[in-house]
């Protein structure tokens, strides 16, 4: 399995916006990294398993709540992150990280593809953590 990582996939919407999502080994097990292929100055997200699972759930909740509103969610730990639903001017999940350069926007046009890819990435990340813990014990 080590030959598979880092695992990198690109997802695009119908407008041509392309995000890159990867799961990478880390001493704690795994990290999920998300950035924009076509917007190099848009920043990137670095999430541990907890943050990736929260983004997964937040995207689905945003999809169900939109065009309405919903409360923000906050994750603490090594990668503190705040998730918000922004309705205007265009629906987007806005992710702020304490160590990040600024907010990271995931437009509604990419929610379904991001959600689907996160399902796969989170499974890989959990397996990497499991294998890391197995080596420690």
């Amino acid at each position: 399995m080590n030959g598979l990582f880092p695992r990198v996939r690109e997802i695009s919407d119908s407008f041509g916006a392309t995000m890159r999502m990867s799961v990478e080994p880390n001493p704690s097990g795994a990290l999920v990294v998300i950035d924009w292929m076509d917007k190099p100055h848009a920043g990137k997200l670095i999430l541990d398993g907890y943050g990736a699972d929260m983004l997964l759930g937040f995207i689905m909740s945003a999809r169900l709540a939109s065009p309405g509103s919903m409360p923000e969610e906050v994750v603490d730990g090594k990668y503190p992150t705040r998730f918000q639903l922004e309705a205007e001017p265009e629906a987007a999940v806005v992710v702020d990280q304490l160590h990040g350069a600024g907010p990271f926007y995931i437009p509604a046009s990419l929610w379904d593809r991001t959600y689907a890819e996160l399902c796969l990435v989170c499974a890989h990340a959990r397996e990497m953590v499991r294998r890391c813990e197995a080596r420690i014990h």
Side-chain angles (χ1 to χ4, degrees):
M1 185 155 174
N2 287 340
L4 296 175
F5 296 98
R7 178 191 181 276
V8 180
R9 297 292 187 273
E10 295 174 8
I11 55 175
S12 300
D13 67 10
S14 58
F15 305 110
T18 304
M19 275 191 342
R20 178 175 41 213
M21 189 178 306
S22 64
V23 58
E24 302 174 359
N26 180 275
S28 64
L31 293 177
V32 174
V33 179
I34 305 172
D35 64 348
W36 286 100
M37 297 289 297
D38 49 352
K39 302 175 191 172
H41 301 292
K44 70 179 173 181
L45 298 179
I46 300 173
L47 304 166
D48 58 11
Y50 177 36
D53 281 339
M54 288 297 294
L55 178 57
L56 185 66
F58 197 85
I59 288 171
M60 180 54 71
S61 294
R63 193 175 189 289
L64 295 171
S66 188
S69 63
M70 60 184 275
E72 69 179 33
E73 292 284 344
V74 177
V75 170
D76 60 0
K78 189 170 182 179
Y79 300 96
T81 306
R82 182 178 63 213
F83 304 94
Q84 297 173 276
L85 173 58
E86 184 175 278
E88 298 294 331
E90 179 182 333
V93 168
V94 181
V95 186
D96 282 306
Q97 292 193 296
L98 186 60
H99 68 277
F104 188 91
Y105 292 85
I106 304 172
S109 61
L110 272 171
W111 289 352
D112 290 350
R113 288 183 174 95
T114 302
Y115 180 86
E117 188 62 28
L118 270 173
C119 287
L120 299 171
V121 165
C122 287
H124 282 302
R126 283 190 295 274
E127 177 61 9
M128 291 174 80
V129 169
R130 186 194 68 77
R131 289 181 181 204
C132 180
E133 289 171 349
R135 284 192 305 268
I136 293 171
H137 297 294

